[in-house]
């Protein structure tokens, strides 16, 4: 049985006081919750939120990580810097990193391998642009991003990997993929993982959907066979909406 995994990506929002306050509200709301939950504040609020989350089951995530352990890498953050703060999950290959900051599959793969080496769980984001969808190559693009992103990742390490399918045209735009369209790509990703690893690894892999997830489309998405969780951006920024999403029926 795959455990439902719902993650909130706060992007470049919230100062330390706001972040601590939101984390505090979530702790009380999710005290009896069985689902796996993660929040990823900006780097500047990680230490503060780590303190607030102590003793709770909510996981602390980071939104990105550099591809090196240390050295002359101005502006980068190493895996050790994250784990030292209590971060246990890192989001890699988010579409804003790929398309706004030019991160390619080779760089993302280096980050994936380094994060896994340091026992971080990863959420590897993949997804096609609108242009790629209109050209009918969404499946190829996503398959390629999964294959390249996971190069060198062992079957054992796959237990630390969540894949997030996030069609770029649905992120922050208010447009959601239909549950059926999303599930088609999720099914394809699971099939690919079965081919790359094994039936067991593919069937156990958690695949999240992301892209304008809101309380009112959560249940429909989560009812699909191959959608095991959600990566939520805008709607994770207020306690009310994120709590409704996590507690969907
Ligand atoms: C995201 O940041 O990964 C995301 C899916 O954003 P939104 O939910 O705002 O579309």
């Amino acid at each position: 049985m795959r455990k439902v995994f719902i993650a909130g990506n706060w992007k470049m929002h919230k100062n330390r006081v706001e972040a601590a306050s939101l984390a505090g509200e979530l702790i009380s709301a999710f005290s009896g919750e069985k689902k796996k939950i993660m929040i990823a504040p900006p780097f500047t609020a990680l230490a503060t939120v780590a303190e607030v989350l102590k003793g709770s089951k909510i996981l602390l995530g980071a939104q990105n990580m550099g591809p090196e352990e240390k050295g002359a890498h101005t502006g980068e953050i190493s895996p050790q810097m994250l784990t030292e703060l209590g971060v246990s999950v890192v989001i890699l290959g988010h579409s804003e990193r790929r398309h706004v900051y030019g991160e390619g599959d080779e760089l993302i793969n280096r980050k994936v391998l380094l994060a896994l080496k340091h026992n971080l769980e990863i959420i590897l984001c993949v997804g096609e642009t609108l242009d790629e969808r209109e050209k009918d190559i969404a499946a190829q693009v996503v398959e390629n991003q999964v294959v390249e992103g996971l190069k060198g990742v062992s079957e054992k390490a796959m237990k630390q990997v969540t894949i997030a399918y996030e069609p770029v045209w649905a992120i922050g735009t208010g447009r959601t993929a239909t549950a059926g369209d999303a599930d088609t790509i999720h099914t394809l990703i699971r099939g690919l993982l079965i081919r790359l690893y094994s039936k067991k690894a593919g069937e156990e892999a958690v695949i999240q959907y992301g892209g304008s997830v809101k309380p009112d489309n959560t249940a429909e998405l989560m009812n699909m066979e191959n959608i095991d969780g959600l990566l939520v951006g805008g709607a994770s920024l207020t306690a009310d909406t994120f709590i409704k999403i996590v507690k969907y029926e």
Side-chain angles (χ1 to χ4, degrees), residues 34-49:
K34 297 274 182 300
K35 301 179 188 96
K36 179 171 169 179
I37 301 161
M38 180 210 87
I39 51 176
F43 288 127
T44 48
L46 282 173
T48 304
V49 173

Side-chain angles (χ1 to χ4, degrees), residues 88 102 234 244:
S88 58
K244 283 189 181 130

Side-chain angles (χ1 to χ4, degrees), residues 29 37 44 52 55 60 62 76 106-107 118 142 156 174 206 210:
I37 301 161
T44 48
V52 178
L60 183 62
E76 291 294 351
E106 190 266 337
L107 174 63
H118 287 274
V142 168
K156 184 162 170 250
V206 171

Side-chain angles (χ1 to χ4, degrees), residues 10-20 40-50 60-63 77 82 85 87:
W10 294 0
K11 307 195 187 190
M12 200 168 68
H13 296 286
K14 307 219 175 273
N15 62 31
R16 286 179 303 156
V17 173
E18 293 162 342
F43 288 127
T44 48
L46 282 173
T48 304
V49 173
L60 183 62
Q63 300 172 19
I77 305 277
L82 295 179
L85 291 179
V87 168

Side-chain angles (χ1 to χ4, degrees), residues 134-180:
E134 283 169 350
K135 285 189 181 131
D136 217 14
I137 54 168
Q140 264 165 270
V141 169
V142 168
E143 281 212 3
N144 194 53
Q145 289 172 342
V146 173
V147 169
E148 296 299 318
L150 294 180
K151 245 185 200 161
V153 175
S154 68
E155 177 162 345
K156 184 162 170 250
M158 281 303 289
K159 289 195 183 0
Q160 289 163 249
V161 176
T162 295
I163 306 282
Y165 169 57
E166 300 206 304
V168 180
W169 47 271
I171 297 178
T173 59
R175 292 179 62 178
T176 322
T178 66

Side-chain angles (χ1 to χ4, degrees), residues 1-4 190 202-207 225-228:
M1 261 293 269
R2 300 186 287 267
K3 187 166 182 173
V4 171
R190 196 174 308 289
E203 282 174 356
E204 286 178 357
V206 171
I207 307 176
E225 191 178 337
N226 282 302
I227 299 183
D228 312 309

Side-chain angles (χ1 to χ4, degrees), residues 64-68 79 90-94 97-98 102-118 120 122-126 143-154 157-158 161 163 193 196-197:
N64 189 21
M65 189 196 86
E68 307 290 342
V90 59
I91 300 170
L92 296 174
H94 189 278
R97 301 304 317 169
R98 290 179 190 265
E103 293 193 10
D105 288 320
E106 190 266 337
L107 174 63
I108 293 164
N109 177 245
R110 280 169 52 210
K111 295 182 181 195
V112 164
L113 295 174
L114 188 64
L116 295 174
K117 176 181 164 195
H118 287 274
L120 283 157
I122 64 154
I123 297 177
L124 173 64
C125 302
V126 297
E143 281 212 3
N144 194 53
Q145 289 172 342
V146 173
V147 169
E148 296 299 318
L150 294 180
K151 245 185 200 161
V153 175
S154 68
M158 281 303 289
V161 176
I163 306 282
L193 296 176
L196 288 174
Y197 292 96

